[in-house]
Amino acid sequence: MRFWRVLFQPFSRFHYKKIQVIITLSFMLVTIITVLLVSIMLYNRFSKSSEENTVLNIGQIIDQVNSNLEFYVLGMKDIFQVVEESVGNAPLISGEQLRSQLGTILKTRQDLVSIALFTKDGQLVWNTPNEQMRPNSRLTRQGWFEAAQEHPGLLQFSAPHIQNVFKSPYRWVVSMSKEITYTDGGAKKKGILDVDINFRTIDELSKRVSLGKKGYVYIIDGVGNMVYHPQQQLIYAGLKYENLEPVLNYQYGNYTDDSTGEERIITIKTVQPTGWKVVGVTYADEIMTTKKDLNTFMIGFLLIMLSIVLIVSVLVSYRIAKPLRTLERSVKKVEKGDFGAIIDVSGAYEVEQLSKRFNLMIRRIRELMDQIILEQEAKRKSELEVLQAQINPHFLYNTLNSVTRMAEMGRKEEVVTTITSLSRFFRISLSKGSNIIPVQDELEHIRNYLIIQKIRFKNKFQYAIEAQDEALSCMTLKLILQPLVENAIHHGIEMMVDEGFIGIYAWIEEESLFIRVTDNGIGMSEDVLRGILSGKSRQDSGSGVGVRNVHERISLYYGKPYGLTFESELEEGTSVTVKLPVVPASAESDHGGSA
């Protein structure tokens, strides 16, 4: 009873995230996949190997038949050559010596039916055996006669046909014909030499082939006429059908055919020089006779493996899950806030180690939390200080450089105005060490900066500063507008031919403070716009560093939702919007007044 209770326990309160259920299902899934993959691989490999071996064996058999037929055809060509030489060298075409010589050749070969010589207009010169011609044979229109005339000097093999030239029993023959030169009455003449052969040797060569219980070999010529078929009478009677159309498209090779309702493997070889095709037919059901046995074995093997794995996985998962459930109950106490709870779980080595490490983690968690808070606060302040230090020297360098050039040019009034504005600029920049100043001071700060830059660039641009009254009293990080205005001057207006304009606007909308810097400069391309805050911008001037620093300072101090957004179009201008939280002066004082 205990065994069955343990066996079915994973399914008593089924939940797909239970470790016992996960282990059981995982083992079963891995086993099923493994068995299926192995079975499929073995099955495919076995099937493929059987088919490849069968096709290879069939190909070898057809090759042998093809070689035998080619050897036989070469032998017939040699015999035809002997007959041709005898006829061509005979001083008298009707002499008894020639007739006796050819009669001897005919008697020594049972597959030779007749030898005959005709004039080019179809008149019989002589033949052996000596038989009379049929009057209506239409000799000059027969294929073998026409082929010899159309290809003078070349030996021609005809399609299988019934010999109807002589008054003898009708027989199926293949005619070898050729236009030759012979001597008659002391004059050289041209005629058609014909040697007819029967199917005795072809039939014997084909009958020796074994392609399974139902397989067979047949031979066709180059246009689809049947040269040999083991069931030739059924073919002629229309009781058996061979799909010859795809066969004629192959010189050699194999393919699968199911035109007769059964899957068959067709193997083809071409006999040279006749152009005949030796076709082997093998039935697929004889090749894979063990497929059903293999399928039955796979199913039985899979069921046995699943049963074994199910039992083993349930027992193993139970032993693993039991101490973990005890650990789960102990951890729930810690979840409720009891960090003083001591977890004591026995079981597997890993579970015991887990409980010990968890106790150590509980003791350390408060220390680590306090330490992390202190470290993050220190890091945040350090990053703000570094960013602030990057901006001030950057601006001071550019401003002093401009003052130096104006002094060298003797522009004293502009130097005085610039120095005065610079002193006010730095008075606001210092802000008694505070990083947080009112928006009104930040706008006054940027006004002094614009006065300096307008003198430097000889009134190349105009500017306007507008702000809602409610926005002026809000608090903001200092020195966030100067890099933006510097960027607008150097990258937007400096390269313009016409007079530029810079507008600075501050307002409150949806519980957020917005400050926008716009210019009517040359604008930025999409590549520069995408990369300006990521550090991948192609701008080579120093203001690119200042813009990124402004965005990073705002994000570090107020959080990721706040920072800079850019809008720009080439030849239209650029707009940079600063988004900040609305922080009244009193709230900032309570906060501490510095980063």
Side-chain angles (χ1 to χ4, degrees):
M1 291 295 295
R2 177 178 173 80
F3 171 77
W4 295 109
R5 190 163 57 250
V6 171
L7 181 62
F8 291 103
Q9 185 175 358
F11 309 101
S12 59
R13 287 191 222 166
F14 181 83
H15 192 283
Y16 69 96
K17 287 189 176 181
K18 280 188 175 182
I19 188 169
Q20 196 168 355
V21 174
I22 292 174
I23 293 175
T24 302
L25 294 180
S26 298
F27 274 27
M28 293 181 65
L29 182 62
V30 169
T31 303
I32 292 173
I33 294 175
T34 303
V35 172
L36 284 177
L37 289 177
V38 172
S39 300
I40 291 172
M41 290 172 62
L42 290 176
Y43 181 80
N44 290 337
R45 183 59 183 167
F46 180 79
S47 300
K48 187 176 180 181
S49 298
S50 298
E51 292 178 1
E52 289 177 350
N53 291 335
T54 302
V55 171
L56 180 61
N57 291 335
I58 294 171
Q60 291 174 346
I61 293 173
I62 301 302
D63 279 340
Q64 186 61 46
V65 174
N66 182 70
S67 298
N68 292 338
L69 284 175
E70 288 184 347
F71 182 76
Y72 174 70
V73 170
L74 290 175
M76 289 297 100
K77 288 179 64 178
D78 292 340
I79 291 174
F80 189 93
Q81 186 176 358
V82 171
V83 173
E84 180 185 358
E85 291 177 354
S86 299
V87 173
N89 295 331
L92 183 61
I93 196 65
S94 58
E96 289 297 327
Q97 181 180 358
L98 175 61
R99 188 177 298 275
S100 174
Q101 186 178 5
L102 297 180
T104 302
I105 295 175
L106 191 66
K107 291 177 182 179
T108 57
R109 295 294 297 257
Q110 295 182 354
D111 49 359
L112 292 179
V113 175
S114 65
I115 303 174
L117 179 64
F118 302 92
T119 64
K120 295 194 68 175
D121 57 2
Q123 299 297 319
L124 177 65
V125 178
W126 59 262
N127 67 330
T128 181
N130 189 8
E131 296 175 344
Q132 293 183 355
M133 289 182 62
R134 295 181 186 273
N136 297 321
S137 62
R138 296 183 179 181
L139 176 66
T140 58
R141 296 185 181 181
Q142 295 199 16
W144 59 267
F145 194 93
E146 292 178 341
Q149 286 187 321
E150 292 174 359
H151 303 88
L154 296 178
L155 178 62
Q156 303 296 316
F157 284 83
S158 74
H161 64 96
I162 295 176
Q163 188 194 64
N164 60 353
V165 178
F166 302 109
K167 293 181 178 180
S168 59
Y170 291 113
R171 289 167 291 189
W172 278 91
V173 297
V174 173
S175 297
M176 295 186 295
S177 59
K178 182 180 180 182
E179 181 184 297
I180 66 169
T181 303
Y182 64 93
T183 304
D184 187 15
K188 294 289 185 178
K189 297 182 179 181
K190 290 187 179 294
I192 305 300
L193 178 63
D194 172 51
V195 178
D196 291 338
I197 58 177
N198 60 26
F199 287 85
R200 180 189 301 272
T201 304
I202 296 175
D203 186 59
E204 291 178 354
L205 290 174
S206 302
K207 282 183 177 179
R208 296 174 188 173
V209 179
S210 175
L211 298 179
K213 294 180 180 180
K214 297 189 292 183
Y216 56 89
V217 170
Y218 66 91
I219 304 171
I220 61 173
D221 64 10
V223 294
N225 297 312
M226 196 66 66
V227 176
Y228 165 80
H229 197 287
Q231 299 173 336
Q232 195 137 346
Q233 293 180 352
L234 297 179
I235 294 289
Y236 292 142
L239 300 177
K240 185 174 180 62
Y241 166 75
E242 294 290 352
N243 186 16
L244 298 180
E245 183 176 352
V247 174
L248 296 174
N249 295 328
Y250 282 81
Q251 290 294 326
Y252 63 91
N254 57 75
Y255 66 94
T256 302
D257 176 71
D258 56 359
S259 60
T260 61
E262 294 183 273
E263 186 177 352
R264 307 184 303 171
I265 299 176
I266 309 299
T267 306
I268 303 167
K269 294 289 182 180
T270 300
V271 181
Q272 299 298 338
T274 62
W276 295 348
K277 296 180 187 295
V278 181
V279 184
V281 179
T282 309
Y283 287 83
D285 58 353
E286 292 184 345
I287 298 175
M288 297 302 295
T289 56
T290 59
K291 277 187 176 181
K292 294 182 179 179
D293 296 336
L294 185 59
N295 288 336
T296 303
F297 170 77
M298 287 173 54
I299 294 173
F301 178 70
L302 181 60
L303 291 176
I304 293 173
M305 289 298 298
L306 285 179
S307 301
I308 295 174
V309 170
L310 176 61
I311 295 173
V312 172
S313 61
V314 168
L315 294 176
V316 171
S317 63
Y318 174 76
R319 291 182 61 86
I320 295 174
K322 183 179 179 180
L324 290 177
R325 283 195 293 269
T326 304
L327 180 61
E328 179 188 7
R329 289 192 293 269
S330 301
V331 171
K332 284 182 179 180
K333 297 180 182 179
V334 178
E335 181 182 354
K336 294 178 181 179
D338 185 7
F339 288 95
I342 302 299
I343 299 176
D344 186 14
V345 178
S346 60
Y349 174 78
E350 288 80 3
V351 177
E352 291 181 353
Q353 293 299 312
L354 178 61
S355 64
K356 293 178 181 178
R357 297 302 174 188
F358 193 85
N359 290 332
L360 291 175
M361 182 187 68
I362 295 300
R363 287 195 296 266
R364 287 281 296 166
I365 191 167
R366 289 188 178 278
E367 299 175 9
L368 292 174
M369 290 175 62
D370 294 339
Q371 182 179 349
I372 289 172
I373 291 173
L374 293 175
E375 289 177 353
Q376 290 298 320
E377 185 67 22
K379 179 181 178 182
R380 187 162 167 262
K381 289 182 179 180
S382 176
E383 289 175 340
L384 284 172
E385 291 173 358
V386 171
L387 292 173
Q388 181 69 51
Q390 286 182 332
I391 293 176
N392 286 338
H394 174 74
F395 166 70
L396 180 60
Y397 169 80
N398 288 337
T399 304
L400 292 178
N401 190 38
S402 299
V403 171
T404 301
R405 289 199 300 270
M406 286 188 292
E408 291 174 351
M409 297 171 63
R411 294 156 57 183
K412 297 180 180 180
E413 292 182 1
E414 293 178 353
V415 170
V416 171
T417 302
T418 302
I419 295 300
T420 302
S421 298
L422 182 62
S423 65
R424 293 174 182 173
F425 179 88
F426 274 104
R427 183 169 64 250
I428 297 174
S429 295
L430 295 175
S431 302
K432 299 180 181 179
S434 176
N435 286 322
I436 306 300
I437 62 175
V439 172
Q440 184 174 0
D441 290 349
E442 179 69 10
L443 294 178
E444 181 63 25
H445 178 265
I446 201 61
R447 189 190 310 276
N448 291 312
Y449 176 77
L450 285 168
I451 291 172
I452 295 171
Q453 295 292 56
K454 188 176 180 181
I455 294 173
R456 176 188 171 197
F457 287 96
K458 299 180 180 180
N459 297 319
K460 186 176 179 60
F461 64 89
Q462 299 296 327
Y463 65 88
I465 301 176
E466 299 177 5
Q468 290 181 353
D469 293 338
E470 295 84 355
L472 291 175
S473 60
C474 293
M475 305 301 290
T476 179
L477 284 171
K478 68 180 179 182
L479 294 183
I480 61 173
L481 296 181
Q482 179 264 325
L484 306 183
V485 173
E486 181 182 5
N487 196 61
I489 294 172
H490 287 288
H491 298 287
I493 294 175
E494 185 176 3
M495 305 301 294
M496 291 176 58
V497 177
D498 299 328
E499 183 181 62
F501 176 79
I502 296 176
I504 302 172
Y505 311 95
W507 73 96
I508 296 176
E509 182 180 336
E510 296 181 356
E511 299 182 357
S512 293
L513 172 64
F514 293 92
I515 304 175
R516 179 170 294 166
V517 178
T518 64
D519 67 74
N520 63 343
I522 61 174
M524 292 183 288
S525 65
E526 291 185 3
D527 291 340
V528 175
L529 197 62
R530 283 194 298 266
I532 195 167
L533 292 182
S534 64
K536 299 178 181 179
S537 174
R538 298 181 180 178
Q539 299 185 50
D540 54 4
S541 184
S543 61
V545 176
V547 171
R548 290 196 301 275
N549 285 347
V550 169
H551 182 72
E552 290 172 5
R553 287 176 61 210
I554 295 173
S555 297
L556 282 171
Y557 193 86
Y558 294 112
K560 293 297 182 183
Y562 301 100
L564 305 183
T565 56
F566 285 78
E567 297 178 4
S568 182
E569 290 187 15
L570 290 175
E571 306 301 332
E572 294 292 334
T574 302
S575 175
V576 186
T577 303
V578 183
K579 181 181 180 181
L580 301 169
V582 176
V583 181
S586 59
E588 184 59 37
S589 299
D590 295 339
H591 185 67
S594 63

